[in-house]
Amino acid sequence: MKRQIPTIKYSGLQGSFWMSFCIVFNYAAMYLLSKGFSNSQIGLIVALAGLISAALQPVIAGFAENGGKISVRALIMTISVFMMACAGILLIPGLYFLCHALFYGILITFLQVLTPLVNAIGMEWINRGIPINFGIARGIGSVSYAAVSFLVGKIVADHSTNIIPVFIILIYFLVLIASYIFVFERKQDKDMIAEASQAEVSDEKGSEPRGSFFASYKKFFVLLIGASLVFVSHNMLNNFLFQIMQYHGGGSAEMGAASGIAAFLELPTMIGFAWLVSRISSGNLLKISGVFFTLKALLMLIAGSIGGVFVAQTAQMFGFALFTPASVYYTNSLIRPSDRVKGQAYMTATNTIGSVFGSFLGGILLDVNGVPAMLLAAFASGAVGTVILIFTAEKTS
């Protein structure tokens, strides 16, 4: 039982974080629409937040590197308190119109800043010898995401969107508590930490002098471009799934069923990831995931019915569900200990960049040429990104 405690603790952090992701991101449009914003204004707010977070992620990660000024755990706790304060401001009666845009935009920005930190803190303790099953913890995150989505959706329908900031405060309190207790101080853990820290120091001493991050990891930089293109495809298909269903004669119920299929099929892959990565290198798993991202886009493109869309969603099992943990392990294996937090931040930023460009390009194509043109662009982007992944992902231990 004692060996399971680290995974239980990390599952609590992943679970509470992905509940917050669901509420802040999934309910952004609903909340801002209720405050008088148009769809185009909401798109602009989300895109700007994504761009700012992509720039901030490596900067904030730098504070925790090289024995930096603040630990990853302290950063997560600090940002959680900040998020609670921003959500609290949204509860002020008669708040000025633009203040809703500003503070909700800040919530979206720092939500995405938190993502690589939550991943990095798990890998930090794994590197120190603590027995954490990352795949199981991330799977709990997916289950939590689905559960809170259903719960909050029912409550908002019965009350109003004003309840959303209240949920944000409550859930970031859970993130705060989960990160506060995510520490290991038993004597045997200290011994392992000391040994791992000494190994990292030796690794750093033996490394070549280096300049900027991307000067040291040129191939990793190209891989990030490929991952960004893959996520342009992924976000087009996800962000405009409702329009795809309408094109095939469906509606919100069919969209919910399609999303449910994808979310459900993520769980076996994430839970079994520890077994997979012990047999196939994380670099090769990234290549496999890219192929399934592109396969999903192709199946969406040729789908002639709602049933065809459901079939396309099954590719999520070895696409996004495989990429998420594989990218964390790949970055951890490839990047030097002193650069790992920043490496995780850059890897997470690919999803953010994909979301921004996928949303802009997908929306334009839908308005100008319709669903088929958008699906063709999603397939092309995914295919190019996958080719880049295949040629740049290195074999890792």
Side-chain angles (χ1 to χ4, degrees):
M1 180 62 186
K2 285 185 177 180
R3 286 188 62 82
Q4 297 170 356
I5 289 175
T7 298
I8 293 171
K9 284 186 177 182
Y10 192 49
S11 296
L13 181 56
Q14 284 278 357
S16 56
F17 169 72
W18 284 102
M19 283 193 287
S20 76
F21 198 103
C22 174
I23 294 177
V24 174
F25 208 84
N26 271 26
Y27 288 89
M30 184 184 296
Y31 179 80
L32 293 171
L33 279 171
S34 72
K35 301 304 176 185
F37 291 87
S38 68
N39 285 312
S40 60
Q41 289 170 330
I42 293 168
L44 181 61
I45 292 167
V46 174
L48 285 175
L51 289 172
I52 294 169
S53 70
L56 281 179
Q57 283 169 9
V59 174
I60 291 179
F63 286 114
E65 289 179 340
N66 302 314
K69 303 171 184 177
I70 184 170
S71 68
V72 177
R73 176 169 164 264
L75 276 173
I76 294 172
M77 294 172 66
T78 302
I79 293 173
S80 297
V81 173
F82 178 65
M83 297 285 270
M84 292 166 67
C86 289
I89 291 173
L90 293 175
L91 291 172
I92 297 174
L95 190 66
Y96 184 55
F97 176 78
L98 291 179
C99 288
H100 285 286
L102 173 62
F103 286 101
Y104 209 97
I106 291 172
L107 287 172
I108 296 172
T109 298
F110 280 89
L111 168 73
Q112 294 173 95
V113 167
L114 267 179
T115 307
L117 298 179
V118 172
N119 290 335
I121 195 172
M123 297 312 300
E124 176 185 316
W125 285 102
I126 289 172
N127 292 334
R128 294 177 176 185
I130 303 301
I132 293 172
N133 189 315
F134 185 91
I136 288 177
R138 183 58 185 83
I140 294 298
S142 293
V143 172
S144 302
Y145 184 105
V148 81
S149 178
F150 175 78
L151 175 65
V152 175
K154 294 277 288 182
I155 294 175
V156 169
D158 293 338
H159 296 84
S160 74
T161 58
N162 291 328
I163 201 74
I164 291 174
V166 176
F167 272 104
I168 293 173
I169 293 170
L170 291 174
I171 289 180
Y172 271 102
F173 180 72
L174 293 179
V175 175
L176 178 65
I177 297 300
S179 54
Y180 177 76
I181 65 174
F182 192 68
V183 64
F184 307 95
E185 296 292 349
R186 301 191 309 271
K187 183 181 184 301
Q188 58 267 41
D189 292 341
K190 288 182 179 179
D191 293 340
M192 287 187 290
I193 290 167
E195 291 174 10
S197 298
Q198 183 60 43
E200 290 186 359
V201 168
S202 298
D203 178 63
E204 290 299 314
K205 285 181 179 178
S207 60
E208 294 292 328
R210 51 198 174 83
S212 68
F213 181 90
F214 289 124
S216 300
Y217 307 104
K218 296 183 180 70
K219 206 168 184 179
F220 184 72
F221 173 70
V222 181
L223 181 141
L224 294 177
I225 295 173
S228 296
L229 288 170
V230 165
F231 274 110
V232 168
S233 171
H234 175 72
N235 282 287
M236 277 189 194
L237 300 180
N238 277 10
N239 294 352
F240 301 109
L241 183 58
F242 181 68
Q243 287 88 333
I244 294 171
M245 283 302 188
Q246 283 186 316
Y247 177 75
H248 290 295
S252 58
E254 289 76 12
M255 185 196 76
S259 296
I261 289 170
F264 177 77
L265 290 176
E266 287 180 7
L267 296 179
T269 303
M270 290 184 175
I271 291 174
F273 184 79
W275 180 86
L276 276 174
V277 81
S278 69
R279 287 156 177 78
I280 306 172
S281 76
S282 56
N284 285 334
L285 288 174
L286 280 181
K287 297 175 184 179
I288 294 169
S289 71
V291 171
F292 276 86
F293 271 115
T294 305
L295 176 62
K296 178 179 176 179
L298 176 61
L299 291 173
M300 283 282 197
L301 178 62
I302 64 176
S305 64
I306 291 172
V309 175
F310 289 162
V311 171
Q313 290 292 82
T314 63
Q316 186 97 347
M317 186 173 186
F318 294 110
F320 179 77
L322 188 58
F323 184 95
T324 301
S327 63
V328 173
Y329 272 75
Y330 180 79
T331 303
N332 185 69
S333 298
L334 186 73
I335 305 301
R336 292 183 182 91
S338 61
D339 289 327
R340 280 175 181 158
V341 178
K342 187 176 290 183
Q344 296 291 357
Y346 282 125
M347 182 60 81
T348 303
T350 62
N351 194 348
T352 305
I353 293 169
S355 177
V356 171
F357 287 100
S359 296
F360 273 126
L361 180 59
I364 292 170
L365 288 172
L366 280 173
D367 287 341
V368 175
N369 294 308
V371 169
M374 185 202 70
L375 293 176
L376 180 61
F379 170 68
S381 179
V384 173
T386 297
V387 170
I388 294 174
L389 285 179
I390 289 171
F391 282 101
T392 56
E394 304 174 45
K395 186 175 180 180
T396 56
S397 59

